[in-house]
Every structure is written in structure tokens, then in C-alpha cells.
Amino acid sequence: MNATPRIAVYCGPLDGGSTAKIAARLANGFAARGIATDLLVTTAVETIPERVDPAVHMVSLGRMAALTRVPRMALYLMRRRPAAVLTHRIRENRAVLDAVRVTGMSTPVFVTVHGRMSVKLDHLPGAKARRRRADVLHYYRLNRGVIAISRDTAEDMRRLLGPDVPIVTIPNPIVGPELTELAAIPVEHQWLREHAVPVVVFAGRLEREKDLPTLLRAFKQLRSERESRLIIIGDGSLRAQTEADRADLGLVADVDLPGWVANPYPYLRAADLVVLTSVWDALPTVLIEALALGTPVVSTDCGAGPREILQDGRLGPLV
């Protein structure tokens, strides 16, 4: 058994998504405070831009298939015996709780909720929605605690789980010294280097909740009034549809989709405007990062998170 208590942060895929960045920042923060920390990663699709502190012990769990997920987690728990495990996703939280049960250990498990769970569940298709809702209602009550990233998210979870589940609000760790260091790297995109006309930047997953059709229609209206360009950073299941919509609207020459970018911060710093067009969003990281870098932002009023960040519109328009 380890003499020094350690915390395990279950990152999951070490990709370019916000959850991976947040997990790494949490691990770095614990390590900086002298806490022994394991960062549990599965597949590494793309590396995150932030540096992982050498004091953080990276544990590769490999590809977590349905049949291997619980046994691998149980083996980790028995070998490393963490004092607590912090998870971020429904499926990963279930695997950890099942592994705790299988091993007979009493490891405290916590789950972070990154947005209104009821909205996410409502937008899932039929059978998947029923499975995920059942998992949340059963497994989230088994956690030692639920961490919500915003007040609105916490209130939503209380409505779902009831008053007896311990829920605390802790915003995600977003602004640190690495943000300004990474943003200072020269931007690669020609439009932002030349800056011949104003450039709008969107950064996020190309998925339904980000509402890319509205972004493109809004940009077309903007471009009809003044010369401008739009860069859409990110990737996702709706990339092909977004490219088709761009063509249908006659925007191919003025809208670029470079895909996933390892370091998006120079884009956010160099942009004339950072935009968010989500249908729902909890505490959008990109708005906080853009504001921290001094770039103007505009956001849809898509939940309490953007309203909290923008102080009811004082720090940027809510539309």
C-alpha cells in the first residue's frame, strides 16, 4: 500500500477537448500543492497544448472497451490505492464505481458535471437517452459528492437527483500562466497574420449543441454589411454538414475550417471577435479564455453559464 495518499484524476481520452485540458490543469494544481497525483488516460487522439507537470504520474489505461473497462480500473485501484478518484463523464464514473464495488474497496469517488445534465439527456436519441438517464439517476447517487461547474448546473442536478445528494459548485480551472505563454506563440493562420480585414473566430466541437448553422447565417449577414472573415477551429461529427452549409451560403472564400488546432490560444488572442453560438452551454471555456486574453466576445444567451461569465452582458453582448 502507498505510504503517501494520492488523488486520481480520470481524464479519459487525452484529446484536444476541454475536459482533457481541465483534467490536466487539476492534476497540475494538485501536484503543485504537494499532493501525489495520478492522471488516468485512455486513448490519446491528439495531445493537449498544456504541459503536464512532471510530478504528475501519467497512468495509461489503454483503450477501455466495454468488457475491459471495469477490470482495468479495478486493477488500478488495487495497485495504486488512491485516496479519492475524480471523474468527468457518465460512462467513466460508472466504470470507477463498479470497480470499487468489485474490489470491495471504499475509495471515495467524485464526479464533475460540465453542464445541464437534463438538457444533455433530452438531446440524446431514444435508447441511448434512456440508458444514460438510468446511469445518472443510479450511479451519480453513489458518488461521495457531485461537483457542478456553475450554479445553474448545480440546480439542474438537484432537480434530477433530489436534495439528499451532496452537490457543490466549483468552476473549472481555466486561466493560468500557461494560457498567456501559449497565446504569445505567433499565430499560424494567414488571415490572422495579415489581418487585411476583421477576423471572427469560433473554437469548439462541431456538434449539434454548438449550432454552427446559426453561426454561418449570422456571419453571412455580417459579411453583407462589412468585409470580414470567419475561422472555425475544431472538429466533430458535423464537419461535413458544416462544410456543405458553408458552400450553400456562398461563404467558401471567407470561412475557413482548419480543423483541430493543437494550440488555439494564439487564434483567440489575434481575433477581432470570438463568438459562441451554442444552443446550450454550461460554463464555456472559450469565453473565459478570450476575455482573459483581452479579445471581445459575443455569445448566445444559452444558459446561466454565459450570463455568469459576461455579467449579464456587461463584458460582452448576449444575443
Side-chain angles (χ1 to χ4, degrees):
M1 182 173 179
N2 295 326
T4 305
R6 68 179 55 252
I7 289 178
V9 180
Y10 194 162
C11 173
L14 192 65
D15 56 16
S18 58
T19 300
K21 293 190 291 185
I22 289 161
R25 290 170 187 167
L26 283 170
N28 289 343
F30 289 136
R33 287 159 177 77
I35 301 170
T37 306
D38 288 348
L39 183 63
L40 313 183
V41 300
T42 53
T43 54
V45 180
E46 299 283 357
T47 56
I48 57 175
E50 285 84 353
R51 178 182 62 87
V52 177
D53 193 308
V56 174
H57 182 73
M58 297 275 286
V59 178
S60 178
L61 299 172
R63 189 174 293 277
M64 301 284 274
L67 294 178
T68 61
R69 193 174 295 127
V70 174
R72 285 187 180 177
M73 182 53 61
L75 187 61
Y76 165 79
L77 292 175
M78 291 187 291
R79 285 178 173 173
R80 301 289 286 179
R81 296 188 175 272
V85 181
L86 177 61
T87 68
H88 293 273
R89 297 178 177 92
I90 298 172
R91 194 164 55 182
E92 293 160 0
N93 184 244
R94 173 178 176 171
V96 176
L97 289 167
D98 282 342
V100 169
R101 175 181 54 81
V102 167
T103 59
M105 301 172 71
S106 57
T107 310
V109 182
F110 298 82
V111 63
T112 300
V113 183
H114 291 272
R116 287 191 191 183
M117 183 62 71
S118 63
V119 175
K120 293 182 179 182
L121 295 174
D122 288 344
H123 282 82
L124 291 174
K128 185 176 182 179
R130 290 190 292 272
R131 287 196 305 271
R132 289 285 188 268
R133 184 177 294 275
D135 283 346
V136 168
L137 293 179
H138 175 68
Y139 283 95
Y140 277 33
R141 292 188 172 106
L142 302 179
N143 285 282
R144 185 67 59 90
V146 175
I147 301 166
I149 66 168
S150 68
R151 295 189 300 270
D152 181 61
T153 301
E155 292 168 3
D156 181 70
M157 289 307 296
R158 289 190 183 97
R159 287 191 291 269
L160 271 175
L161 301 179
D164 297 331
V165 177
I167 300 172
V168 63
T169 301
I170 306 176
N172 281 329
I174 295 173
V175 179
E178 68 281 352
L179 178 66
T180 51
E181 293 168 7
L182 290 165
I185 297 172
V187 68
E188 297 178 355
H189 201 286
Q190 183 178 353
W191 290 354
L192 290 170
R193 287 202 314 269
E194 296 176 351
H195 236 121
V197 299
V199 180
V200 179
V201 169
F202 166 92
R205 294 174 296 112
L206 308 190
E207 302 294 347
R208 179 182 177 185
E209 61 266 28
K210 300 300 182 181
D211 197 4
L212 277 302
T214 290
L215 171 63
L216 291 173
R217 290 195 302 271
F219 176 72
K220 182 174 183 178
Q221 182 175 334
L222 169 65
R223 200 197 60 171
S224 70
E225 299 171 2
R226 61 179 301 177
E227 192 176 5
S228 51
R229 287 169 171 164
L230 169 64
I231 301 174
I232 299 176
I233 301 171
D235 217 334
S237 64
L238 297 183
R239 179 178 180 86
Q241 182 60 56
T242 303
E243 291 175 341
D245 291 342
R246 175 184 62 168
D248 291 343
L249 292 169
L251 297 174
V252 173
D254 295 312
V255 176
D256 189 32
L257 286 87
W260 185 86
V261 175
N263 180 12
Y265 306 124
Y267 288 76
L268 301 183
R269 175 186 55 81
D272 294 283
L273 178 70
V274 170
V275 62
L276 182 81
T277 53
S278 297
V279 178
W280 73 89
D281 225 317
L283 200 72
T285 299
V286 67
L287 292 183
I288 299 173
E289 290 169 338
L291 289 173
L293 295 172
T295 304
V297 301
V298 61
S299 173
T300 47
D301 193 5
C302 56
R307 185 167 286 279
E308 286 180 33
I309 294 168
L310 300 180
Q311 298 182 7
D312 294 322
R314 288 190 293 275
L315 299 183
L318 287 161
V319 296

